Amino acid sequence: MSNQERDPRAVVTTVDRDDNFRMLEPRDVPLGGPRAMDVRRTLPQRGKSLIGAWCFVDHYGPDDVAETGGMVLPPHPHTGLQTVSWLFEGEIEHRDSTGAHALVRPGELNLMTAGRGIQHTEVSTNVGRILHGVQLWTALPDAHRHMDPQFEHYAAPVLEFPEGNVNVFIGSLAGGSSPVEVFSPMVGAQVDLHAGATMALPVAASFEHGVLVDAGEVSVNGKAVPRSHLAYFPPGDDSLLFEAQTDARLILIGGEPLDEQIVMWWNFIGRTHDEIVEYRTRWQTEVVSGATNAGHFGVVPGWIGPPLPAPTMPTVRLKPRA
Ligand code: MN
């Protein structure tokens, strides 16, 4: 996923702990392309930038790709983050500058670690015609954000319970555990609930959590969570109580609060304004202008066509909030 806003909002996090429940409302963001598929973004937003290390939550579909044009993202860069691609329906073809070429399929995680810099492409295929899923990003902690880029694919097994199914794609939950590499304590899972089910899921009390509802009528710890909304739960809970009035599907994310201030702009995460300027300059000079074959962001094998140019940077310096 690429942040396709023409004038992307700069996000500079604070390290303040948030002790209150919040209901984060989605906003529609066009993904670009001729017919402009929309995504519903709940993170980041004003007043809430991070849930654990999770820093970006886009929810999309179900869309008929014949109508929306689907997802067509030419080469674009990332730094300092991991992208978590997770589908409910459809298929996306992924290529990146580590040489990875993989399909994203329902129930199968594609985890791309940008580290110091990567570029990739994402194109929905015609399989199933319907595209429906989420793209999530996590911020790499300072100790790991300059690492070499890497890519992992993981077909997560479905854990079946009387109340519903749990599919753990990051971290550990409900007796399941994902082997993929993450760099701060966190969890990510799909939870499917049967109509009428009440399920108490034990979670780490040191984690803060977010629950994104994809479908169904469901409440979490007594709070009704509308579709495409992201309910935020501060640290302190050692379980989350799900009550489903109908069949429901949700995404649970969580993690230990990232005790670092990050600067996030377009598809880059860094720590300072100058670092973001440097990433953007390297992308524009080495890739967009085609000056080198393998600069900071490498090359995407098997892709023919121009990369996405970076938007213009804001005229004000990206400053950490006091
Ligand atoms: Mn991307």
Side-chain angles (χ1 to χ4, degrees):
M1 192 68 75
S2 170
N3 186 350
Q4 296 295 84
E5 292 170 288
R6 186 157 298 176
D7 186 15
R9 183 181 301 166
V11 174
V12 183
T13 70
T14 63
V15 295
D16 291 345
R17 287 274 296 249
D18 192 333
D19 294 325
N20 300 305
F21 168 84
R22 285 190 57 179
M23 185 67 72
L24 302 171
E25 295 187 1
R27 63 193 174 99
D28 288 340
V29 179
L31 199 53
R35 282 154 294 190
M37 168 184 161
D38 274 359
V39 298
R40 298 175 292 278
R41 185 164 301 160
T42 40
L43 205 67
Q45 60 174 274
R46 210 169 291 285
K48 178 51 81 184
S49 309
L50 292 165
I51 297 178
W54 299 92
C55 59
F56 187 90
V57 173
D58 270 0
H59 181 216
Y60 53 88
D63 286 324
D64 186 335
V65 299
E67 285 173 21
T68 63
M71 181 184 291
V72 183
L73 289 170
H76 61 276
H78 291 289
T79 61
L81 56 84
Q82 293 183 293
T83 66
V84 173
S85 300
W86 186 259
L87 285 177
F88 307 123
E89 294 169 88
E91 188 178 81
I92 294 169
E93 186 176 21
H94 164 101
R95 296 173 191 269
D96 70 40
S97 52
T98 71
H101 178 206
L103 293 170
V104 189
R105 292 190 175 116
E108 300 183 14
L109 170 70
N110 273 16
L111 178 65
M112 186 182 78
T113 304
R116 60 186 159 74
I118 199 168
Q119 58 168 312
H120 74 140
T121 64
E122 296 156 287
V123 179
S124 49
T125 72
N126 290 323
V127 170
R129 282 187 50 138
I130 301 296
L131 193 60
H132 185 192
V134 291
Q135 168 130 159
L136 316 167
W137 298 354
T138 73
L140 290 170
D142 194 48
H144 297 281
R145 68 192 183 95
H146 299 295
M147 64 182 282
D148 289 342
Q150 63 185 39
F151 176 85
E152 287 184 87
H153 175 267
Y154 173 58
V158 176
L159 309 172
E160 295 185 16
F161 299 93
E163 302 90 347
N165 298 336
V166 179
N167 202 335
V168 184
F169 51 80
I170 297 233
S172 297
L173 185 76
S177 195
S178 166
V180 302
E181 192 172 18
V182 291
F183 299 89
S184 61
M186 68 175 82
V187 67
Q190 177 179 328
V191 179
D192 292 274
L193 298 163
H194 303 315
T198 296
M199 183 188 231
L201 269 183
V203 294
S206 62
F207 284 15
E208 50 189 349
H209 290 92
V211 176
L212 175 76
V213 171
D214 171 65
E217 288 178 38
V218 62
S219 66
V220 186
N221 287 1
K223 314 277 190 186
V225 187
R227 180 166 184 272
S228 285
H229 286 55
L230 181 65
Y232 169 76
F233 299 91
D237 292 321
D238 59 12
S239 75
L240 292 174
L241 182 69
F242 299 94
E243 297 169 280
Q245 284 75 54
T246 64
D247 284 352
R249 174 160 55 199
L250 50 91
I251 293 287
L252 171 66
I253 58 175
E256 284 189 6
L258 188 72
D259 197 23
E260 296 181 26
Q261 197 160 53
I262 67 171
V263 178
M264 181 169 162
W265 179 81
W266 192 42
N267 294 318
F268 301 131
I269 291 181
R271 292 298 182 274
T272 64
H273 175 93
D274 292 338
E275 210 172 35
I276 299 291
V277 169
E278 188 191 338
Y279 292 146
R280 183 187 181 280
T281 301
R282 295 195 76 155
W283 176 250
Q284 292 296 106
T285 57
E286 294 174 4
V287 182
V288 175
S289 74
T292 61
N293 278 329
H296 186 77
F297 296 98
V299 294
V300 180
W303 178 272
I304 296 168
L308 277 180
T312 307
M313 281 201 70
T315 50
V316 293
R317 284 181 69 82
L318 311 178
K319 269 193 216 156
R321 287 193 293 247

